[in-house]
């Protein structure tokens, strides 16, 4: 197996395009190494993205107007600890902090987590809930795409050969409250069985100005049901509305069955976790976390 360590983005793109599906990009390597060890992949060439020198902001977390940009070289530990993320995207900081263990978080990147597209990853629920976009550079130049459509299926994204995620851009919402909760069914270091990201802007008397809820880890891609939550605009965020949303999410989502839980079990947990998430938002309205 060939190992390449390009210093220029063009070189990395050209290598990826040349070797097509025989190439594998490596960022933190936490998923790639496991896939190699388990014999799930057998690439001709590994292309290490950790030495690119000409991608502006690749190791930075930058606040730009109404969004925060996280470069492809930023680890989950850095995401979890960065003051700007903790202040403006506390749900993303929480999701990053709950991934696996400290060794994984120190090596794994946020962009690699999204590019892996494992249905049971933590950050994607938050990224979809906030309408985040991937910034991709490839043989045909740069493009942006919402994470929601970038994630296509189990371990599948819209990335074409030679395309590299150079950053994630996450919108910030003024005067919002947000939560990320992770329900694990096996061990404290496990991936989620069910996860819930919620984000609300609540006016005086707790009336809902906007509300987004995304359930992760239960289906091939995170599920965000805007038709359910937009119908609640103008209503009061309280136990009654929380229970209504929870019941609708349970009814609409057809969960997978796997070693972390059966479809039936996940349906039960979805209803409980969505309700609790929204009750907590109702209690914490007025702050950002
Ligand atoms: C023990 C263990 C426990 C874990 N627990 C959790 C958990 O609880 N929650 C959770 O969410 N995740 C968990 N993970 C998964 C981990 O978070 C991901 O493996 C990690 O975030 C992937 O990032 P990486 O930088 O290591 O990617 P890599 O392993 O380097 O790459 C992952 C995939 O993305 C592609 N890729 C990476 N970066 C780019 C890029 N910039 N452009 C294009 N393609 C790219 C690679 O080609 C590969 O297909 C766990 C992993 C381990 C090993």
């Amino acid at each position: 197996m060939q190992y390449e360590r390009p210093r220029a983005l063009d070189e990395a793109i050209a290598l990826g395009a040349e070797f097509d599906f025989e190439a594998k990009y490596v960022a933190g390597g936490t998923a790639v190494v496991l896939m190699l060890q388990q014999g799930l992949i057998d690439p001709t060439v590994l292309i290490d993205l950790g030495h690119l020198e000409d991608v502006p902001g690749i190791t930075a977390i930058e606040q730009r107007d109404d969004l925060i940009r996280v470069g492809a070289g930023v680890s989950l530990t850095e995401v979890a600890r960065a003051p700007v993320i903790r202040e403006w995207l506390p749900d993303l900081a929480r999701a990053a902090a709950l991934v696996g263990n400290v060794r994984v978080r120190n090596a794994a990147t946020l962009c690699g987590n999204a590019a892996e597209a494992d249905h049971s990853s933590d950050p994607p629920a938050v990224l979809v809930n906030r309408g985040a976009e991937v910034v991709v550079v490839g043989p045909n130049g740069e493009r942006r795409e919402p994470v929601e459509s970038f994630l296509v299926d189990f371990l599948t994204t819209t990335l074409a050969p030679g395309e590299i995620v150079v950053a994630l851009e996450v919108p910030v919402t003024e005067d919002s409250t947000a939560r990320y909760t992770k329900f694990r069914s096996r061990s404290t270091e496990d991936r989620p069985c069910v996860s819930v990201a919620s984000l609300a802007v609540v006016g005086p008397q707790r009336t809902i100005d906007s509300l987004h809820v995304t359930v992760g880890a239960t289906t091939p891609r995170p599920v965000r049901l805007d038709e359910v939550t937009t119908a609640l605009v103008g209503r009061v965020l309280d136990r009654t509305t929380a229970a209504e949303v929870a019941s609708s999410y349970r009814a609409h989502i057809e969960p997978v069955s796997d070693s972390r839980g059966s479809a039936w079990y996940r349906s039960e947990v979805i209803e409980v976790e969505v309700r609790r998430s929204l009750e907590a938002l109702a209690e914490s309205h007025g702050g950002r976390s």
Side-chain angles (χ1 to χ4, degrees), residues 2-136:
Q2 199 176 325
Y3 174 73
E4 297 287 345
R5 210 163 62 169
R7 296 192 180 276
L9 184 60
D10 280 355
E11 201 189 329
I13 291 169
L15 278 166
E18 179 190 341
F19 285 88
D20 205 331
F21 292 105
E22 291 299 316
K24 196 75 182 158
Y25 287 122
V26 184
T30 59
V32 170
V33 169
L34 269 190
M35 289 187 239
L36 287 169
Q37 282 175 343
Q38 293 170 356
L40 298 174
I41 56 171
D42 184 20
T44 305
V45 57
L46 290 178
I47 307 167
D48 190 340
L49 300 176
H51 302 272
L52 297 175
E53 291 171 350
D54 61 350
V55 184
I58 194 165
T59 56
I61 298 172
E62 299 167 283
Q63 190 160 19
R64 297 182 180 179
D65 301 325
D66 54 356
L67 59 83
I68 291 173
R69 182 180 166 108
V70 180
V74 175
S75 72
L76 292 172
T77 295
E78 290 167 320
V79 169
R81 291 185 182 168
V84 68
I85 301 228
R86 291 167 72 100
E87 179 176 1
W88 291 100
L89 307 172
D91 43 349
L92 184 60
R94 180 85 180 137
L98 290 173
V99 167
N101 58 54
V102 68
R103 282 167 298 137
V104 171
R105 295 192 294 272
N106 283 348
T109 61
L110 182 66
C111 290
N113 185 282
E116 184 192 6
D118 189 307
H119 79 289
S120 58
S121 287
D122 288 284
V126 176
L127 297 173
V128 167
N129 202 45
R130 284 187 172 269
E133 291 189 336
V134 283
V135 183
V136 175

Side-chain angles (χ1 to χ4, degrees), residues 120 183-193 258-261 265-266:
S120 58
F183 178 82
R184 305 174 189 88
S185 54
R186 303 189 304 189
S187 82
T188 52
E189 287 193 7
D190 199 10
R191 286 168 174 268
C193 167
D258 62 22
S259 55
R260 294 188 181 88
Y265 181 71
R266 278 192 158 103

Side-chain angles (χ1 to χ4, degrees), residues 269-289:
V269 177
I270 288 168
E271 183 160 6
V272 172
E273 289 295 313
V274 170
R275 177 174 54 71
R276 286 181 180 167
S277 180
L278 295 186
E279 287 175 356
L281 280 195
E283 282 165 23
S284 66
H285 81 99
R288 275 198 293 268
S289 59

